Amino acid sequence: MKTIDELLAEGVDNKRVFVRADLNVPLAEGVITDDGRIRAVLPTIQALAGAGAKVVVASHLGRPKGAPDPAFSLLPAAERLGELLGAPVAFAQDTVGPAAHGAVDGLQPGQVAVIENLRFNPGETSKDDTERGEFADRLAALADVYVGDGFGAVHRGHASVLDLPARLPHYAGYLIATEVGVLRKLTDEVQRPYAVVLGGAKVSDKLGVIDHLLEKADRILIGGGMVYTFLKAQGHEVGTSLLQEDQVPAVQDYLKRAEANGVEFVLPVDVVVAPAFPDLKAKAPTHPATVTVDAIPADQQGLDIGPRTAALYAEKLADTATVFWNGPMGVFEHPDYAEGTKVVAQALLDSPAFTVVGGGDSAAAVRILGFDEQAFGHISTGGGASLEYLEGKTLPGLAALEN
């Protein structure tokens, strides 16, 4: 794929450059709680603006129903982008209407505008090629050149990701180029031993990547809510823990395949339990207990890996050369259930390995728990996109940029 460096060499002075970013940041009552995704696209925007482009930034945020919804407005993201750039950023209150055209027409070389949430228009996510194409046509009227830099959205076949690049000269931004380079180190250029740490709530979300990694990884460590389906597959009772009973046969098959392939599958030996899920806002003490995995009480649910497991996982990561981590080990948002995730994150920092944090809750945990982001090899901005890449899937946004 052609990169932004090639575009800059060709010249962008006075050109309207459409940057498909990923500004899908978490909000609490309209306040951004993690601006990592905005920071990630800054190098691309700064390079284009510095070269005299008129930069038009677009993104989705959340899952509105194809119509304007103030709860999902990109205005807070646009304001934060302006703060980080140290320069005013125009904001258009629509996507392809008069406000968007007015904002773009008003740009001078080196200035930046953000248009409203792309998903406020039903054409962005439509499964109908014609409807998506019509929206892409209207977006194309706002620009002369397209730069794809929203890695967190490249696994979506949406208008601004898939259809718009076909209508304009298109290039990959710095973030996408970096993300793809990192993922190649996890697939085609792996240094071994290669360990994968998977957590999160549902095992069904990770089945595809586990299936693929059984042919790639040397060691797979499991935590989070998904671990209880694995424990059930081993014959343990899991109390009221999160359980996907219908996935037990698939998990049993994976455990057998791992053994046959010589892949070390590491599961918890102890877990932290409590009678109920904690209140994440109050964060009041909940008096958790630690039990072995064969002694989970019937009226308790697992909410974190236990201290023996955390120490075991740290040991399993100590001699690795490559580590990919996607998904926290427990309910890290509450101090009573954050220790497992803390220990794993610290183990990645202590390891000599090339470490990749696979976006989503894992990246949020790194920031919320106070770790230095720069100390990790790479923190991805797209958990879902990273997983689908590791599954061997074709990502529509990357295919569009390569075409």
Side-chain angles (χ1 to χ4, degrees), residues 4-211:
I4 185 174
D5 283 333
E6 294 173 84
L7 171 60
L8 293 170
E10 294 166 9
V12 294
D13 187 45
N14 207 36
K15 288 185 178 179
R16 301 171 301 164
V17 180
F18 188 103
V19 177
R20 200 330 179 164
D22 180 10
L23 308 181
N24 186 27
V25 292
L27 297 170
E29 298 179 355
V31 177
I32 296 171
T33 58
D34 182 353
D35 65 359
R37 284 178 169 168
I38 302 175
R39 291 179 180 274
V41 77
L42 281 180
T44 290
I45 294 173
Q46 289 169 326
L48 291 168
K54 300 175 180 179
V55 185
V56 183
V57 181
S59 176
H60 71 286
L61 192 151
R63 297 179 182 272
K65 305 296 185 182
D69 183 338
F72 297 105
S73 174
L74 275 177
L75 179 58
E79 292 174 340
R80 181 58 180 150
L81 178 60
E83 293 171 359
L84 293 170
L85 290 172
V89 169
F91 180 69
Q93 294 182 327
D94 59 29
T95 55
V96 291
H101 281 275
V104 174
D105 291 345
L107 290 176
Q108 297 298 313
Q111 293 184 335
V112 179
V114 174
I115 63 174
E116 186 54 285
N117 191 336
L118 292 166
R119 291 185 182 177
F120 284 2
N121 190 303
E124 170 67 1
T125 59
S126 176
K127 297 186 183 303
D128 181 84
D129 292 348
T130 300
E131 185 177 17
R132 261 196 349 270
E134 289 174 351
F135 183 51
D137 287 338
R138 297 181 70 186
L139 289 172
L142 297 172
D144 306 303
V145 180
Y146 177 94
V147 172
D149 215 29
F151 180 73
V154 294
H155 58 314
R156 305 296 187 192
H158 293 168
S160 65
V161 176
L162 175 63
D163 304 278
L164 183 55
R167 289 159 169 77
L168 295 169
H170 47 272
Y171 304 79
Y174 289 127
L175 175 61
I176 279 186
T178 298
E179 294 272 14
V180 171
V182 166
L183 288 170
R184 284 178 179 151
K185 292 183 179 180
L186 300 177
T187 52
D188 304 325
E189 307 161 11
V190 179
Q191 297 294 311
R192 299 185 180 279
Y194 175 23
V196 177
V197 184
L198 296 176
K202 294 182 178 180
V203 68
S204 57
D205 294 340
K206 304 291 196 302
L207 287 178
V209 73
I210 293 172
D211 184 73

Side-chain angles (χ1 to χ4, degrees), residues 16 43 80 123 163 217 225 277 294 314 332 334 365 397:
R16 301 171 301 164
R80 181 58 180 150
D163 304 278
F277 196 87
D294 57 358
F332 71 92
H334 193 285

Side-chain angles (χ1 to χ4, degrees), residues 54 57 97 160 163 170 178 246 254 265 279 327 340 361 386 393:
K54 300 175 180 179
V57 181
S160 65
D163 304 278
H170 47 272
T178 298
D246 61 322
Y254 287 155
F265 226 103
D279 184 336
D361 285 341
S386 296
K393 290 184 177 180

